[in-house]
């Protein structure tokens, strides 16, 4: 009597996969890859919780955060002013403020009410103009981008009045009477060519939906990619990878199919946010080719991160915990949750160790419509290097742990 042992059965999946690779020669069979991708997409579409976070949640965040940071249908920044009625300097400053683009001037009777308005957030900034004084106290929130922008606009208005007063005094010193001095200054102002500052950074950053749409694209593309890594763990636990390799499917086909599935989910998330934000919120993303390149390489980064987590963890519940936590932390460092202007410099510096900051810089640069692919090549190069490193490590680990041990 002959007794065979289980070790006589060809259970070495590594060798089997290698044999398929050797027999097939071109190991990437399109039909096998397509079947793996279709199975993964079908499984994702049946995950109602996952689909809620892909289809609904990004737009809830875009709407709420967009309104919070200034897209509530108005680009005006409300400021309060306390000024004496009969003070000529105050009157001139008020005129300049009221003519300043983006400011909504409200008059207050006392400084306490002004400070209360700034403190409670109903005012972006408050300006007090004491009668006869040359020092004007300004109150604003240093942690608010709107407050800093209002402060800058107030500085500009006061500077213009100061320059006008200096010019008038110079004309009077030169012998002109007050009326003639005023006429000369008015003529000089009429012939002055306005000077514009371009590419200054902070104040050029988009506001409202124009900022939150790319921020949430980066944030949710990464988070949801990490969350769907649970499917990889399930595949390992259920022995799906082993059963796939039992058929005429090569390891390379499995690796490519699993990676392509995660990339398509990330890309679909990004395309959905771009399409809806453009049609519903009127967000301008910039040059299509450049946006596609930036979003594409960031999706590769998210794919690499998802494959890495799916290869490392042992329970399908772990990616759902790790993904949002890690994604939110990296989103905070990268400027996805608030503009970088309100964060300390050292946090912004740390943020550039991770892909979110680079993706945000590229998408924000493209959104003004003046920059093209050439302008964001440094960001694309950094993201490409991160994607290559993550995908290389993730596929190596997936090969070692899922294809051989799963």
């Amino acid at each position: 009597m002959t007794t065979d042992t289980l070790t006589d059965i060809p259970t070495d999946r590594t060798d089997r996969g290698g044999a398929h690779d050797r027999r097939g020669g071109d190991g990437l069979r399109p039909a096998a890859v397509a079947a793996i991708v279709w199975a993964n997409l079908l499984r994702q579409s049946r995950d109602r919780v996952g689909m809620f976070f892909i289809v609904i949640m990004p737009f809830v965040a875009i709407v709420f955060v967009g309104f919070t940071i200034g897209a509530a249908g108005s680009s005006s920044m409300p400021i309060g002013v306390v000024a004496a009625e009969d003070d000529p300097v105050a009157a001139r400053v008020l005129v300049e403020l009221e003519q300043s683009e983006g400011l909504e001037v409200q008059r207050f009777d006392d400084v306490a009410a002004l400070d209360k308005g700034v403190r409670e957030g109903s005012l972006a900034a408050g300006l007090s103009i004491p009668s006869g004084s040359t020092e004007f106290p300004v109150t604003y929130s240093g942690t608010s981008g709107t407050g800093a922008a209002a402060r800058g606009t107030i500085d500009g208005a006061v500077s213009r009045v100061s320059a006008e007063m200096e010019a008038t005094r110079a004309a009077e010193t030169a012998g002109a009477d007050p009326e003639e001095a005023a006429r000369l200054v008015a003529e000089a102002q009429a012939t002055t060519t306005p000077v514009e500052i371009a590419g200054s950074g902070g104040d050029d950053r988009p506001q409202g939906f124009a900022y939150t749409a790319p921020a949430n694209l980066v944030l949710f593309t990464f988070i949801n990619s990490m969350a769907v890594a649970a499917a990889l763990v399930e595949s390992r636990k259920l022995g799906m990878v082993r059963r796939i390799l039992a058929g005429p499917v090569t390891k390379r086909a499995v690796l490519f199919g699993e990676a392509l599935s995660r990339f398509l989910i990330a890309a679909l998330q990004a395309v959905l946010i771009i399409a809806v934000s453009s049609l519903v919120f009127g967000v301008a993303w910039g040059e299509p080719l450049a946006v596609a390149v930036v979003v594409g390489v960031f999706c590769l980064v998210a794919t690499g991160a998802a494959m890495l987590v799916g290869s490392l963890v042992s329970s399908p519940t772990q990616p759902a915990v790790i993904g949002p936590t890690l994604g939110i932390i990296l989103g905070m460092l990268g400027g996805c949750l608030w503009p970088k202007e309100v964060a300390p410099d050292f946090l912004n510096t740390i943020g550039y160790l991770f892909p979110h900051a680079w993706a945000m810089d590229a998408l924000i640069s493209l959104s003004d419509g003046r920059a093209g692919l050439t302008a964001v090549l440094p960001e694309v190069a950094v993201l490409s290097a991160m994607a290559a490193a993550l995908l290389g490590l993730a596929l190596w680990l997936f090969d070692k742990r899922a294809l051989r041990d799963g």
Side-chain angles (χ1 to χ4, degrees):
M1 184 177 66
T2 301
T3 302
D4 293 331
T5 63
L6 289 178
T7 54
D8 294 323
I9 299 172
T11 54
D12 189 339
R13 276 93 67 186
T14 302
D15 289 340
R16 181 181 299 165
H20 283 313
D21 286 343
R22 288 190 293 272
R23 287 197 305 268
D26 58 347
L28 283 180
R29 297 176 58 191
V33 173
I36 294 171
V37 170
W38 175 250
N40 282 323
L41 295 181
L42 192 61
R43 183 164 52 172
Q44 180 60 40
S45 69
R46 291 171 176 169
D47 180 358
R48 294 182 179 180
V49 176
M51 292 306 294
F52 172 80
F53 280 94
I54 290 176
V55 178
I56 304 298
M57 198 58 199
F59 303 106
V60 173
I62 288 172
V63 169
F64 276 91
V65 181
F67 275 107
T68 301
I69 68 173
S74 171
S75 60
S76 296
M77 296 175 288
I79 67 165
V81 178
V82 174
E85 294 287 347
D86 55 350
D87 188 300
V89 175
R92 187 69 192 96
V93 171
L94 277 170
V95 170
E96 280 293 333
L97 291 173
E98 289 170 350
Q99 293 177 348
S100 296
E101 184 178 356
L103 288 187
E104 176 188 335
V105 180
Q106 301 176 15
R107 299 292 298 273
F108 283 76
D109 295 328
D110 61 83
V111 176
L114 190 72
D115 291 344
K116 182 181 178 184
V118 175
R119 191 168 55 249
E120 294 178 347
S122 61
L123 296 174
L127 173 67
S128 176
I129 309 176
S131 181
S133 175
T134 57
E135 295 184 358
F136 305 160
V138 179
T139 307
Y140 69 104
S141 172
T143 59
S144 165
T146 304
R151 165 63 193 268
T153 306
I154 291 172
D155 285 346
V158 173
S159 296
R160 288 192 294 274
V161 173
S162 177
E164 180 182 310
M165 293 174 63
E166 286 296 327
T168 302
R169 186 168 61 181
E172 291 176 347
T173 302
D177 58 43
E179 291 185 358
E180 185 179 8
R183 180 182 59 79
L184 291 172
V185 171
E187 290 177 355
Q189 289 175 324
T191 58
T192 299
T193 302
V195 177
E196 295 184 357
I197 300 174
S200 58
D203 291 340
D204 291 338
R205 281 187 173 264
Q207 301 292 320
F209 298 138
Y211 186 86
T212 60
N216 283 285
L217 182 151
V218 173
L219 186 67
F220 280 95
T221 297
F222 190 85
I223 287 177
N224 286 327
S225 294
M226 296 284 282
V228 299
L232 283 174
V233 187
E234 288 178 351
S235 297
R236 288 166 44 199
K237 292 295 180 183
L238 296 174
M240 292 176 63
V241 175
R242 184 177 64 246
R243 291 199 293 272
I244 291 173
L245 286 174
V249 182
T250 65
K251 285 197 306 180
R252 282 188 291 173
V254 175
L255 284 170
F256 185 67
E258 293 291 349
L260 182 59
S261 301
R262 273 71 207 175
F263 176 80
L264 288 177
I265 292 172
L268 287 172
Q269 170 73 95
V271 169
L272 180 65
I273 291 177
I274 291 173
V276 174
S277 63
S278 299
L279 296 174
V280 178
F281 306 119
V283 174
W285 288 84
E287 184 183 297
L289 175 61
V291 173
V293 171
V294 172
V295 171
V297 291
F298 185 76
C299 287
L300 287 174
V301 171
T303 300
M307 295 286 291
L308 186 61
V309 170
S311 302
L312 288 174
V313 302
S314 56
S315 168
T317 60
Q318 289 176 304
V321 176
I322 296 172
T325 304
L326 182 61
I328 290 173
I329 292 173
L330 298 186
M332 288 191 292
L333 293 172
C336 298
L337 274 66
W338 49 68
K340 290 181 182 177
E341 287 78 4
V342 304
D345 289 342
F346 78 92
L347 283 182
N348 291 332
T349 302
I350 294 173
Y352 283 106
L353 295 175
F354 307 102
H356 295 57
W358 295 96
M360 279 297 294
D361 280 358
L363 292 175
I364 293 300
S365 297
L366 294 172
S367 66
D368 70 0
R370 291 176 291 183
L373 181 58
T374 305
V376 296
L377 281 180
E379 288 85 355
V380 171
V382 173
L383 288 172
S384 299
M386 290 179 174
L390 279 171
L391 279 170
L393 179 60
L395 292 177
W396 179 76
L397 280 173
F398 191 71
D399 180 24
K400 296 293 183 184
R401 302 194 60 175
L403 297 188
R404 299 186 182 184
D405 305 329

